[in-house]
Amino acid sequence: MDRRVSLKLLGCAAAVAMLGFGSSAMASDAKTMTVVVKEAGVPWFNILNQGLEEAGKEFNITTTMVGPAQADPAQQVKLIDDLIAKKVDAIGLVPLDVKVTAQAVQRARDAGIIVITQEGATQENKTWDLGLMSSQAYGEAQMKALAREMGEEGEYVVYVGTLTTTGHNQWADAAIAYQKEHYPKMKMIADRFPGADFIDQSSKVTQDVLQTYPNLRGILSMGSNGPIGAGNVLKQRHLEKKIALVGTVIPSQAEAYIKSGVIRCGFLWSPKDAGYGMVALARMVFDGKKIETGIELPKLGVAKVDDVNKVVEVNDILTIDKSTIDALIKLGL
Amino acid sequence: MPKHFKAFARRQEFWLAILFAVLFVGLSIARPNFLSLQNGVDLISSYAYTGILVSAMLVVLVAGGIDMSFAAVATVAQYAALTVANSWDIGWLGVLLIAAAIGIILGVINGLLINILGLSAIIVTIATQSVIFGLVLTATKGQDIFSLPGWFTDGVAIPFHTTLDGYQYFINVQMIGLAVALALTWFVLNRTNVGRQIYAMGGNVEAARRIGYNVFRLNLFVYGYMGLAAGLASIVHAQYNMSVSPTALVGRELDVIAAAFLGGASATGGSGTILGVVLGIALVAVVQNGLTLLGVSSYWSQFFTGIIIVVAVASMARDVRRRWYDNPGAA
């Protein structure tokens, strides 16, 4: 470790590269990896960095995280070019705009650097992308929780941010399809409602929905402000026992609602696991492991591998309820 | 009486009132729970923030100006007031005073810039909006405030009706805020000297100046009033949401401006009434509420909301054209 630090201080990038060459066949020889995130200093990526550091220690990879001061894809390109000049062994990338970063990623690959992306399944030229969850699994997990809380019967509604928010609507599609297939006694009583990006709009939608459908038994929100706005209304009207509220939530925002039972169950994915997984995946590539469906990523579970699009997908969905929320908030989520 | 009626029939408010009445009666017949007390309480509570801002926007539009920065001002006001309230026990009065003071100061800054630079209000306030919002995001790092003092989230609850099965209805912060804003704006525009001067300035600023009105001071008042309203509306909004987010308000200014125009406020200044804007908001609120109550798919509701606005604006255009015909040059 000391030797590596002093080498870095001297700026002996060439020596670092040689070290990498010399013993590339050996498992867990020291490597360097720098992850370029969307924006430096925001809470989400600070937590991602915790995952990088943890996995870095475990897999003998020196990790650092960099990111533009403002979410700007051109700045990401500049950072990648700097890293190519520095001759790191691996670059992690959470791309802002896959088109803008495509050329820089190619330059990195040409220089023999492996590139692991996250939230970048469509990034061209990458080595692998790590997907923490499929839209389908995420939507289904939320529907399963809603069905459990509703006793698998009754009327429910679904909220999305807007009717064109891609992620929300894909999750909603999966959730609704799963309900139709598995819970015939449940019924989506109206088309999905927009408004889940804002607390006030979600409250308003909830008020209107309660007026219109007095037999409502469940609300499923894909946007994270939806459960808060709906929860405010349910709490005010003392309807939290009658109506099951489930959806995507930010733990620190939803703490009081989860603990009081207004929000029965929440879902999210973990930036810490994202960081951890990127490093773990990089180590597998360094070690020359064959990456194929069924391979197990430490902590994240068994992966499904799409060899054409170069995507490694696990199903690492966070469930937020009374038993898990304290630990998640402590993590900084 | 017929003469008065004829005059009223030519105004935007008349057509709005008819449209509103048609919707109101139609919805009441189709969906009896449209008329329920709960629905009324819901509607007023959820449109209070917009309503307070629209009433102040009316004053700005009547004065011949416009303000695009009010949402950023409201964001600063609610964030600052409730950050303080989370650390010190300042109570409702303290929260309202801080929010109002911040609103007035930022509003007056807008007024000063518009006066001194002589640029159009839309350019100046888009710029100040950007500056204020940028500072807020930097200072807060985009973090929401999730927990607010208990006395604040409990709000004000004055029971005014109890049903047979013991369910109570309350007058809440939102209703009080909206009523105060509408009453105050009506009073300022119709019963004060300043109000008459604002109409005159909006109608013809040069004429107002030559009569001897202090246009500089009037502008400070108008934008200060908008700032005050933004401050108060922000508190009403935070209480409704039970949390504060620096990104919850900015970007949604058009709701407010559209409702003011729908209510008959003129983009060129000099005209507009509080009755008009009340009808404007009521129409928007009832259309969206009604569409949900009727079970219309969300995919369609934007379409119908658009249609209603087109109908209202078309009636306004007809009205302006006829006034032009009756009295060329005066419309």
Side-chain angles (χ1 to χ4, degrees), chain B residues 279-301:
Chain B
L279 284 169
I281 310 164
L283 199 64
V284 174
V286 165
V287 168
Q288 295 197 339
N289 177 247
L291 288 170
T292 310
L293 286 180
L294 289 171
V296 174
S297 162
S298 321
Y299 295 100
W300 280 101
S301 66

Side-chain angles (χ1 to χ4, degrees), chain B residues 11 33 41 48 50 71 81 93 102 114 153 196 213 233 235 249 256 296 306 331:
Chain B
R11 285 166 51 186
N33 60 349
V41 169
T50 310
L93 190 66
I102 290 172
I114 290 163
T153 51
R196 306 319 300 170
Y213 291 164
I235 298 306
L249 300 174
V256 170
V296 174

Side-chain angles (χ1 to χ4, degrees), chain A residues 43 163 191-194 198-201 203-204 207-209 211-213 232 235-237 252-253 257, chain B residues 33 36 38-39 42 46-47 143 146 167 237 240-243 248 252 288-289 292-293 295 297-299:
Chain A
L163 294 173
D191 276 335
R192 64 195 73 168
F193 290 94
F198 294 103
I199 295 174
D200 51 355
Q201 289 182 359
S203 294
K204 196 174 92 47
Q207 289 169 345
D208 288 350
V209 165
Q211 279 291 328
T212 316
Y213 310 106
N232 285 343
K235 201 170 78 184
Q236 233 165 30
R237 309 241 177 111
S252 50
Q253 183 181 17
Y257 300 80
Chain B
N33 60 349
S36 69
Q38 183 68 58
N39 199 38
D42 288 350
S46 58
Y47 280 92
Q143 290 281 18
F146 298 138
Y167 192 87
H237 185 264
Y240 183 74
N241 271 14
M242 301 197 187
S243 69
R252 298 162 69 192
Q288 295 197 339
N289 177 247
T292 310
L293 286 180
S297 162
S298 321
Y299 295 100

